[in-house]
């Protein structure tokens, strides 16, 4: 019987380093790209680090005595990091279970759950509206993810995060499943036009409105880390099927794969930024309607996969 | 430094704004890169102390009370005080100034830790009354300017040369005397109430 | 003429109440009437079958006790014939109110457009509108004492008494939560407070409280400035439509003095007014984009607003915003010839840029989705509330003061007035974008046709106790100034009605039934200018309940805060 | 030894039941709940004792007893939930002191628990039906406890049960009798042995009658309409038992009947699966809309039963499949279903107890009216949150593990319909989360309002009751092996551990422990590394407005997720139609019952009393002191009268049906 659970120390180190360092940098790139699209010079690439450094240095104001308000940002951050540990870095996977893609999405959803609980602990309608919008986004994105997983289960015959990219065959429905996954990841990351839960100009920051100082910094970091984790998942799913041959061949192969993953993330982020810059924000009912429509379409894709294409 | 004099109108026509849209980003590192203003720009007002005669026309024109006149009749001083912090850059003072001393500059960066730094004060000596020795309400330069611009006939006809050297009271007395001599006022001129004993208008 | 016939009918109908009739200018008619039938008269005029676009413009309250021993309340109706066949005119219905008991039958019970005006005269002058449906405090702050009326002549312009804090807000309807927007909110550029009563995200009812930025401008204008100095404060009523205000004021005074300003001056005013309109509409388009999270549109709109438009204004007048160009009788500075080419160049450049903005804005699918069918203001409601400007034109109201009253040089140039029927935010967006292109064309025509000649007709002393209106079509709608001259070149009563004043009162109607997410966009869609609206009163924070820090204390605090870091 | 423990437990229940002889209300409640607690402890001891010696056969009071793996799972549910509930009841029932009639409660409460114990241990169909009826009836008595709205809800419940649960079971019994030919020989195994002799039509009828009976009891759509009102109007400790335990008896019955009496067939599996999926979707989506705490929980009971049925259905469909992979999937599904039954008992029990605590403290179940209870009742808040996260299926909580097993089984079945079921289950899991975000946050989030600021934390015994269940949610979530040891008994532990697909429970298919360690280490590391330097408390930011009504400055429970609900509005319209239809039918039936009942017993009245509150009822009728003592009994007798007459009708109907079946 094959061993299905493992812990890779190297994976943990690489994962921690990447998730700890990369998110603000990527955000810096995105800001720069957006600025260029908007005919501006934009802040320095490291600006997000400066921002976070400043936030970490500031005390936080407490709008409520409810402890969950203070605990939530840390829970969110820890969840984002935990999710990161389930992803492969090159050939190293920090923590591996065999049916873990469901776990991965659930752990990632815990970021949202923590944020929502924090947002609802305060007596503030702006923050509450943000919380319930975030929940509705989760509600409407989840079934799309579910269908994508269903297609993978059909096609790859596994739900292991690290095994799917190794086993997934190239077929019509898997391509569509990839598209669904990309869409779901994009929506779940809360990029424009899905930044509905924060919607600064509508509900003054929504879920973030009551947070300040270090707690805000932690929360922002959790959100950035979540984005990176989702992007890394996508990059893994794209990289490993292509580099299947060398992915498992020793250290060098692992490093090559890691490098390709990283490059893919670095390329994808500016693209996302461009997409963000050229879109307005959806209203929540529009976003829910869009997601529902895509879910219904995706059921057709599932049927296609079941037929065997 | 070479000081090439061109007329104001010429400068208006020849002035071209440095094109900021060469590179795509329009962001300018503003405080580090100075921004140029066109010659029309109405910036902070500045009083040329050499040309100002202290007449106070600008003070009367100023809708925002940025320009005030301060009187010190003890020491015979009249100051025109310009406080750009109150100024609304309407340019009325510039129009009202008879000598062109008041000019709006191109300067607009007025940030300062101390608002007092911005204040410009032009002090003028008041003329002394030839008769009683008190200070009159006219500055020396005002009188000088008046003689410059008034045609000689008018000065002579009204005996302004004499009158302008007197303070208001004495001038009044003189006038009363003349009028009395002409028989147009009946009674003792000295019983008339003194009009402006001391102090200027405020 | 037809106008005369219409008026004859009106005069006939209210024969018993009309005391006196006076033509202030050929198109401004003042009736001195009995207060008893004021509501009926206003109603008759606003819903006149032939002048179908007529609307209630404003209600002037004034303390004329020194003049006539009485207060006066004067609704103004803009008589507009939508078909354009008849000459349009303004009617002022002036009613004198008793000195000791200034009550009058409320016009607002029939015309919602008068709601605010009558709350205002109640707050500022202590009038008593009888049967007014909603007599809550509008202008004076919550801690202003009862019985102190700042616009009465016996109230010093700098007096600011303190009173008890009192709650004048609407009660939240059953089963709703309350969401505040403002005074400090990302979506508002100036302080205003909208209290949204929501079920979920759906807005059930709205309460509005504003007038946080009163500066007592009218009172200052009446108290201590001469008529020539008022320009500069009129220009500062608003940071955006300043020149509109100063032109409208100038027009009022010129009407009183009975002078026609030189044609060249009229053209110069027209060009500047249009530049101001372009700049305002671009600014608005940017803000609207920003509110729906479309920052690229925001940046683009503001960039072209900065480079050709504001830049042009700076070259033409010496300043980006407060032009300082007007004077009674004309303008202060001439356009030199070189500027002609400059303007045309810039307009060409602008046209290209604006078309690109059009493409960016309209091609953003989500932006359109967000704006479509949101904040609908039907034609009827728009008319009832006397809504003006693009807000009205987006609701199908074919009104534009420039065209209807032949202001300045507009009578000599060709332009279209865009009108849309939908009444939603998208229609307001399209009206504004269309108007930008119209403005460019107006400027080009005006530059071409500009005659030579003087720019200024001197005016001597103003005749005392004469009154007149002045008006322009600002970017947000009709700006209207009423001036009653006093002695010594001063103004006895100066009343300003900014367009937002009429439009804002209709905003709660637009918000109901939409979502919290739409609220900022709907509020912004009328291009609200709180500073314009809130010019009247005087608030001295230091005497209020809130303790204002003095400068030294503030500095100390700042230093302490930075040390903590 | 095991039988001895069973006897001990039952005699403790009997003691509890007769403790009503003590007159004073509070003492009765204390005594009876103490005995129930001890009895539950004895049950737990029984489980420990019986584990490893299965199956155990014996006899109790002349009835055949058999305890096998399946019984043990449900005994565990009864034991644990019964224990927590009995402890909770110790103080909780003080709330109803005004109502008096403590002896009725003691009797019904203990009888209810005892009947369920006997239900899962008997191996005889007749006794099964007998205990089933005792359970149904005692539950009815408990549901109508408050006598206000609950009378109607109770009648609805009881008559629905008669028509759709008792009747089919009697029918099944009759068919069994027709096979075996004697009442004594109607053990499950005997019937199973003779089933081959039945005509196919009667086998189908047997399937149908069992299915209908268990559907009605577990509230499967479209027979779920009685659940919300019954659960909401019963006292919370009773709702806990109804939802946490009684519903599970239907699952027990389904599994027992399908595997031990009948044969699991694919078609039947599909039918159960469809019912399960429809129920989980309908129940949970309706739960999303609710703003009454207990109605919300009741609808979730419906939804979660759907999960359980889906799991069981996968078992029924695939377990006998010749393909070893699919057979394993079937085993996994059945284990998941049973596991979810246990988990549901834990978290839903805890949630009903929390809802009861909220009602106890704030006096209302309306989530729109309560606010900020976390500040006042922190312990209840923490327990409610743990249970909420459990039911929402957040990792590290028990609900996640069992739901995740259901997803895996569904996905790996590679059968379009089951994959679709798993997808819907995944979606509904998010809906559940959304719903509990609302439940938890509208009650415990924000600041206390006028109503809740007067509330106090509930007494310790109630907290212990909630705590036991909530902490078990977390414990099982992190160490699922503990519970899996029990729930895999019926399917054979070895089958799963030697699973195909390289999956197993022991070598950690998914390791919550590992995840817990990772998450915990990270969490603590962040907390230590970046401690929140909290400054003084400030008012929530209200845009700087003056005189702002802070109390309305939050979303109310009815405000949540409106856009989403609007989007699926068509679904609700559809569901409402069927819900109304079911309710209408049952109301008509009740009216018919009453009409017939009147004919038989002229003195009886319909228990639908149109009075505003209990006091009205009392004041109207009670004129003398002795009346006050007697009235509860009179009313009780009246109720019994109605039931007895319904029983007469029922027997008539059954007789006709049996006759028909025999002739056919």
């Amino acid at each position: 019987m094959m061993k299905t659970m493992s812990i890779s120390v190297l994976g943990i180190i690489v994962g921690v380093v990447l998730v700890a360092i990369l998110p603000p940098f990527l955000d810096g790139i995105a800001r720069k790209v957006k600025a260029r699209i908007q005919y501006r010079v934009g802040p320095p690439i490291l600006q997000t680090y400066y921002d976070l450094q400043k936030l970490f240095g500031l005390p936080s104001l407490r709008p409520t005595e409810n402890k969950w308000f203070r605990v939530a940002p840390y829970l969110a951050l820890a969840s984002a990091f935990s999710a990161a540990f389930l992803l492969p870095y090159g050939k190293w996977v920090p923590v591996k279970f065999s049916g873990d893609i469901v776990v991965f999405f659930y752990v990632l959803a815990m970021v949202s759950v923590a944020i929502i609980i924090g947002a609802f602990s305060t007596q503030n309608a702006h923050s509450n509206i943000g919380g319930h919008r975030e929940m509705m986004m989760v509600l409407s994105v989840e079934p799309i993810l579910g269908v994508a997983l269903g297609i993978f289960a059909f096609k790859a015959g596994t739900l292991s995060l690290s095994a799917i990219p190794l086993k997934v065959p190239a077929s019509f429905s898997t391509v569509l499943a990839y598209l669904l996954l990309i869409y779901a990841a994009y929506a779940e990351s809360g990029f424009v036009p899905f930044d509905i839960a924060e919607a600064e100009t509508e509900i003054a920051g929504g879920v973030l409105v009551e947070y300040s100082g270090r707690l805000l910094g932690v929360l922002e970091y959790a959100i950035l880390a979540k984005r990176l984790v989702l992007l890394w998942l996508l990059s893994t799913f794209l990289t490993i099927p292509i580099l299947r041959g060398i992915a498992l061949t020793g250290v060098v192969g692992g490093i090559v794969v890691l490098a390709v993953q990283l490059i893919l993330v670095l390329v994808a982020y500016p693209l996302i930024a461009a997409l963000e810059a050229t879109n307005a924000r959806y209203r929540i009912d529009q976003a829910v309607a869009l997601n529902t429509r895509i879910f219904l379409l995706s059921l057709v894709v599932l049927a296609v996969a079941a037929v065997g294409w | 430094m070479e000081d090439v004099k061109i007329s104001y109108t010429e400068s208006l026509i020849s002035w071209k704004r440095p094109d900021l849209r060469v590179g795509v980003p329009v962001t300018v590192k503003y405080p580090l890169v100075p921004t140029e203003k066109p010659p029309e720009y109405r910036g902070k007002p500045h009083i040329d102390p050499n040309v100002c005669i202290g007449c106070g026309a600008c003070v009367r024109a100023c809708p925002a009370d940025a320009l005030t006149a301060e009187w010190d009749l003890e020491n015979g001083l009249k100051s025109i005080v310009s406080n750009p912090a109150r100024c609304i850059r309407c340019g009325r003072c510039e129009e009202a100034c008879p000598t062109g001393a008041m000019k709006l500059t191109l300067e607009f960066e007025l940030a300062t830790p101390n608002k007092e730094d911005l204040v410009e004060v032009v002090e003028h000596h008041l003329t002394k009354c030839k008769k009683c020795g008190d200070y009159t309400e006219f500055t020396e330069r005002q009188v000088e300017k008046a003689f410059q611009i008034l045609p000689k006939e008018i000065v002579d006809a009204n005996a302004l040369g004499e009158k302008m050297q007197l303070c208001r009271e004495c001038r009044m007395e003189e006038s009363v005397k003349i009028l009395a001599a002409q028989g147009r006022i009946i009674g003792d001129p000295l019983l008339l109430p003194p009009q402006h004993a001391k102090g200027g208008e405020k | 003429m037809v106008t005369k016939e219409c008026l004859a009918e009106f005069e006939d109908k209210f024969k018993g109440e009309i005391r006196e009739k006076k033509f202030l200018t050929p198109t401004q008619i003042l009736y001195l009437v009995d207060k008893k039938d004021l509501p009926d008269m206003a109603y008759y005029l606003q819903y006149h079958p032939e002048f179908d676009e007529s609307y209630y413009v404003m209600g002037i309250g004034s303390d004329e006790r020194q003049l006539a021993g009485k207060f006066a309340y004067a609704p103004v109706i803009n008589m507009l014939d939508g078909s354009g066949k008849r000459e349009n005119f303004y009617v002022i219905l002036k009613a004198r109110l008793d000195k000791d008991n200034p009550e009058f039958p409320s016009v607002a019970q029939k015309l919602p457009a008068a709601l605010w005006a009558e709350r205002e005269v109640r707050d500022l002058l202590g009038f008593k509108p009888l049967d007014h449906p909603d007599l809550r405090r509008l202008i004076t702050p919550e801690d202003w004492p009862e019985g102190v009326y700042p616009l009465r002549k016996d109230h010093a312009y700098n007096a600011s008494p303190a009173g008890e804090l009192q709650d004048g807000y609407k009660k939240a309807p059953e089963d709703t939560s309350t969401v505040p927007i403002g005074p400090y909110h990302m979506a508002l550029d100036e302080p205003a407070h909208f209290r949204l009563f929501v079920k979920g995200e759906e807005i059930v009812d709205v309460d509005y409280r504003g007038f946080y930025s009163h500066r007592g401008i009218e009172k200052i204008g009446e108290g201590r400035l001469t008529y020539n100095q008022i320009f500069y404060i009129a220009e500062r009523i608003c940071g955006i439509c300043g020149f509109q205000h100063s032109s409208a004021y100038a027009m009022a005074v010129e009407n009183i003095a009975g002078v026609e300003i030189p044609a060249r001056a009229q053209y110069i005013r027209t060009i500047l007014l249009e530049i101001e309109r372009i700049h305002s509409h671009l600014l608005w388009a940017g803000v609207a984009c920003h509110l729906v999270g479309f920052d690229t549109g925001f940046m683009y709109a503001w960039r072209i607003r900065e480079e050709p438009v504001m830049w042009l204004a700076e070259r033409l007048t010496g300043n980006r915003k407060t032009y300082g160009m007007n004077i009674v009788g004309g303008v202060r500075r001439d356009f030199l010839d070189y500027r002609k080419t400059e303007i045309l160049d810039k307009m060409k450049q602008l046209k290209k840029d604006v078309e690109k903005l059009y493409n960016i804005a309209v091609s953003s699918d989500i932006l359109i989705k967000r704006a479509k069918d949101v904040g609908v203001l039907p034609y009827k409601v728009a008319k009832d509330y006397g809504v003006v400007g693009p807000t009205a034109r987006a609701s199908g109201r074919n009104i534009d003061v420039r065209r209807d009253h032949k202001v300045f040089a507009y009578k000599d140039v060709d332009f279209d007035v865009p009108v849309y029927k939908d009444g939603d935010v998208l229609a307001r967006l399209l009206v504004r974008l269309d108007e930008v292109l119209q403005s460019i064309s107006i400027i080009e025509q005006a530059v071409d046709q500009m005659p030579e000649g003087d720019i200024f007709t001197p005016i001597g002393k103003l005749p005392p106790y004469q009154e007149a209106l002045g008006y322009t079509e600002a970017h947000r709608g009709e700006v209207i100034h009423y001036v009653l001259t006093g002695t010594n070149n001063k103004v006895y009563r100066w009343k300003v009605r900014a367009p937002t004043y009429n439009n804002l009162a209709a905003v709660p109607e637009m918000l109901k039934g939409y979502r919290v997410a739409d609220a900022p966009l709907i509020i912004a869609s009328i291009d609200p200018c709180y500073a314009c609206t809130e010019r009247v009163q005087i608030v001295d924070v230091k005497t209020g309940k809130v303790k204002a820090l003095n400068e030294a204390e503030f500095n100390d605090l700042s230093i302490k805060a930075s040390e903590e870091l | 030894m095991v039988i001895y423990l069973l006897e001990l437990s039952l005699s403790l229940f009997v003691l509890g039941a007769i403790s009503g002889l003590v007159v004073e209300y509070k003492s009765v409640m204390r005594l009876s709940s103490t005995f129930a607690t001890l009895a539950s402890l004895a049950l737990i001891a029984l489980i420990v004792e019986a584990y490893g010696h299965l199956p155990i056969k014996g006899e109790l009071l002349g009835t055949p007893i058999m305890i096998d793996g399946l019984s043990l799972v449900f005994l565990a549910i009864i034991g644990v939930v019964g224990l927590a509930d009995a402890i909770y009841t110790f103080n909780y029932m003080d709330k109803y002191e005004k109502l008096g009639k403590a002896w009725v409660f003691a009797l019904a409460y203990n009888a209810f628990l005892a009947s369920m114990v006997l239900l899962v241990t008997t191996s005889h169909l007749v006794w099964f039906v007998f205990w089933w009826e005792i359970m149904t009836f005692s539950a009815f008595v408990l549901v109508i406890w408050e006598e206000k709205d609950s009378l109607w809800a109770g009648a609805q419940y009881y008559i629905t049960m008669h028509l759709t649960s008792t009747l089919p079971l009697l029918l099944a019994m009759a068919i069994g009798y027709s096979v075996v030919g004697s009442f004594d020989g109607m053990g499950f195994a005997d019937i199973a042995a003779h089933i081959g002799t039945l005509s196919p039509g009667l086998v189908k009828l047997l399937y149908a009658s069992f299915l209908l009976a268990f559907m009605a009891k577990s509230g499967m759509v479209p027979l779920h309409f009685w659940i919300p009102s019954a659960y909401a109007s019963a006292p919370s400790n009773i709702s806990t038992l109804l939802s946490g335990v009684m519903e599970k008896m239907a699952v027990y019955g389904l599994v027992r009947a399908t595997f031990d009496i009948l044969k699991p067939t694919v078609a039947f599996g599909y039918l159960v699966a469809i019912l399960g999926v429809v129920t989980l979707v309908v129940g949970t989506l309706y739960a999303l809309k609710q703003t009454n705490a207990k109605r919300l929980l009741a609808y979730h009971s419906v939804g979660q039963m759907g999960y359980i049925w889906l799991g069981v259905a996968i078992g029924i469909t695939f377990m006998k499949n010749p393909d070893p992979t699919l057979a394993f999937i079937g085993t996994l599904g059945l284990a998941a279903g049973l596991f979810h039954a246990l988990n549901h008992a834990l978290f839903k029990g805890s949630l009903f107890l929390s809802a009861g605590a909220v009602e106890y403290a704030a006096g209302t179940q309306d989530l729109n009216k309560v606010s900020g209870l976390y500040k006042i009742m922190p312990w209840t808040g923490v327990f409610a949150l743990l249970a909420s996260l459990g039911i929402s299926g957040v990792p590290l909580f028990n609900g996640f593990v069992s739901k995740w097993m259901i997803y895996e089984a569904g996905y790996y079945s590679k059968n379009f319909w089951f994959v679709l079921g798993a997808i819907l289950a995944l979606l509904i899991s998010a809906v559940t989360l959304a719903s509990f975000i609302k439940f938890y946050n509208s009650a415990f989030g924000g600041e206390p309002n006028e109503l809740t600021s007067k509330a106090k934390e509930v007494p310790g015994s109630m907290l212990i009751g909630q705590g036991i269940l909530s902490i078990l949610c977390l414990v099982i979530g992190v160490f699922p092996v503990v519970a899996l040891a029990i729930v895999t008994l019926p399917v054979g532990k070895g089958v799963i551990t030697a699973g195909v697909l390289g999956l197993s429970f022991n070598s950690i298919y998914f390791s919550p422990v590992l995840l817990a360690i990772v998450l915990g280490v990270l969490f603590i590391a962040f907390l230590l590394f970046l401690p929140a330097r909290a400054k003084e408390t400030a008012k929530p930011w209200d845009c700087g407005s003056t005189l702002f009504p802070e109390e309305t400055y939050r979303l109310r429970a009815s405000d949540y997720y409106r856009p989403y609900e609007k989007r699926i509005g068509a679904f609700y319209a559809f569901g409402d139609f069927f819900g109304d239809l079911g309710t209408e039918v049952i109301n008509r039936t009740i009216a018919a019952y009453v009409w017939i009942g009147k004919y038989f017993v002229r003195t009886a009245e319909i228990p639908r009393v149109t009075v505003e509150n209990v006091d009205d009822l009392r004041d109207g009728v009670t004129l003398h002191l002795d009346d006050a003592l007697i009235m509860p009994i009179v009313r009780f007798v009246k109720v019994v009268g109605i039931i007895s007459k319904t029983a007469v009708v029922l027997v008539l109907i059954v007789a006709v049906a049996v006759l028909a079946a025999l002739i056919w």
Side-chain angles (χ1 to χ4, degrees), chain D residues 431-480:
Chain D
V431 176
T432 312
L433 174 64
S435 178
F436 278 94
I437 293 264
K438 166 163 110 180
F439 169 78
Y440 176 77
N441 286 315
S442 48
F444 295 97
E447 301 296 320
N449 59 18
E450 221 178 293
L451 181 73
T452 52
S453 53
K454 292 182 204 117
K456 284 202 298 280
E457 179 66 289
V458 293
S461 72
M462 288 169 71
L463 287 180
I464 294 171
Q466 297 170 46
I468 290 174
L469 297 178
S470 290
I471 288 165
L472 272 177
C473 288
L474 184 60
V475 169
I476 292 180
V478 179
F479 306 102

Side-chain angles (χ1 to χ4, degrees), chain D residues 269-302:
Chain D
Y270 270 94
L271 189 59
V272 174
I274 290 168
L275 285 172
V277 171
V278 169
T279 303
L280 72 89
V281 172
V282 171
T284 315
L285 284 182
Y286 268 88
L288 187 64
K289 274 209 320 194
Q290 305 305 318
T291 54
N292 177 308
K294 279 162 78 176
R295 284 186 81 83
L296 183 144
L297 295 176
Y299 269 112
H300 272 297
S301 288
V302 177

Side-chain angles (χ1 to χ4, degrees), chain C residues 106-409:
Chain C
S106 158
V107 176
Q109 53 178 316
K110 295 208 156 189
L111 300 183
L115 280 168
W116 276 29
E118 290 176 2
R119 285 167 75 180
E120 177 183 327
V121 292
R122 179 203 163 271
D123 276 9
L124 300 180
L125 287 151
F127 294 179
K128 290 180 196 129
L130 301 175
D131 301 326
H132 189 283
D134 174 25
L135 255 190
R136 289 176 302 141
R137 197 169 265 207
L138 176 71
I139 290 179
T140 42
E142 277 112 356
D143 62 348
W144 188 265
E146 286 290 342
V148 179
Y149 302 113
L151 218 53
R152 289 191 176 181
K153 291 286 176 196
D154 44 21
H155 185 93
Y157 78 90
N158 53 2
S160 180
E164 288 295 311
L165 204 62
Q166 41 180 294
D167 190 348
Y169 289 100
K170 265 193 207 168
K171 282 276 159 288
E174 268 302 293
D175 294 342
T176 55
S177 344
T178 316
V179 178
I181 294 193
Y184 305 105
H185 190 277
M186 270 96 282
L188 301 172
D189 306 333
E190 292 172 74
H193 179 56
F194 290 88
R195 202 168 269 193
L196 311 180
F197 303 113
V198 299
K199 282 191 172 167
E201 287 207 40
E202 196 175 307
I203 300 164
V204 180
D205 200 1
V206 181
D207 193 10
Y208 166 79
R209 172 87 212 170
F211 296 87
Y212 293 104
S213 42
H214 318 293
R215 287 148 295 161
I217 284 180
E218 282 178 13
K219 187 82 179 173
I220 295 171
E222 291 164 19
R224 51 171 283 254
L225 298 179
T226 63
Y227 74 87
N228 248 333
Q229 287 178 328
I230 288 179
F231 278 108
Y232 303 102
I233 200 155
E235 193 155 37
R236 279 159 182 80
I237 285 174
C238 173
I240 291 177
C241 38
F243 196 71
Q244 306 273 3
H245 279 288
S246 85
S247 299
Y249 169 77
M251 190 170 164
V253 178
E254 285 150 10
N255 281 338
I256 290 171
V259 293
E260 175 87 353
I261 63 167
R264 192 175 173 84
Q266 294 197 0
Y267 271 83
I268 291 174
R269 277 190 190 169
T270 303
I271 290 170
L272 289 177
L273 288 174
E274 290 309 309
I275 286 178
E276 207 172 53
R277 184 183 323 281
I278 294 172
H279 122 75
S280 167
H281 283 351
L282 289 176
L283 182 142
W284 180 84
V287 169
C289 288
H290 177 62
L291 288 181
V292 293
F294 182 43
D295 280 353
T296 305
F298 164 60
M299 293 288 175
Y300 192 85
W302 280 48
R303 187 173 67 104
I304 62 180
R305 162 183 175 263
E306 189 61 40
E307 165 53 34
V309 186
M310 300 294 263
W311 165 240
L312 195 61
E314 190 173 17
R315 283 233 77 182
L316 294 178
T317 70
N319 214 325
R320 298 165 79 246
K321 202 50 227 80
T322 39
Y323 302 154
M325 284 286 272
N326 271 329
I327 195 159
V328 174
V331 291
R332 284 166 61 196
R333 282 177 284 269
D334 198 359
F335 279 8
L336 301 173
D337 279 341
Y338 83 93
R339 283 169 171 153
K340 214 168 172 168
T341 52
E342 179 122 25
I343 294 173
L344 291 175
D345 281 354
K346 291 289 174 194
M347 284 301 127
K348 219 183 280 166
Q349 180 191 338
L350 181 66
K351 215 177 196 166
K352 259 197 318 210
D353 286 342
V354 170
E355 268 155 18
K356 198 168 165 197
L357 174 70
Y358 238 90
N359 288 336
I360 291 178
V362 180
S363 70
S364 170
D365 188 31
I366 302 177
L367 178 69
I368 302 297
K369 266 193 193 164
R370 285 297 302 270
K372 201 164 164 35
D373 295 333
V374 157
V376 173
L377 184 72
Y379 179 90
K380 196 183 166 304
V381 184
K383 173 151 177 153
D384 288 348
Y385 276 91
V387 163
V388 292
T391 317
R393 289 195 281 278
S395 294
R397 304 262 288 140
N398 188 6
I399 55 175
D400 188 321
V401 175
R402 292 177 292 177
R403 178 197 63 194
D404 299 338
H405 289 283
K406 306 192 172 56
V407 181
F408 303 134

Side-chain angles (χ1 to χ4, degrees), chain A residues 28-94:
Chain A
I29 295 178
R31 286 166 88 166
K32 201 83 183 167
V33 170
K34 270 188 254 174
R36 282 305 164 116
I37 292 174
Q38 295 164 353
Y39 304 91
R40 292 185 287 125
V41 168
I45 290 214
L46 299 184
Q47 185 62 44
T48 310
Y49 291 103
Y50 305 145
D51 293 353
L52 287 171
Q53 185 195 8
K54 181 161 186 183
L55 283 179
F56 284 145
L58 289 167
S60 308
L61 217 58
R62 277 187 299 152
T64 171
E65 280 162 24
N66 196 329
K67 298 232 170 27
W68 294 112
F69 178 79
R70 273 203 278 169
V71 169
Y74 296 100
L75 213 55
L77 190 58
S79 303
F81 269 71
S82 304
F85 282 167
L86 299 173
L87 292 171
Y89 298 91
K91 70 186 281 271
W92 302 281
V93 184

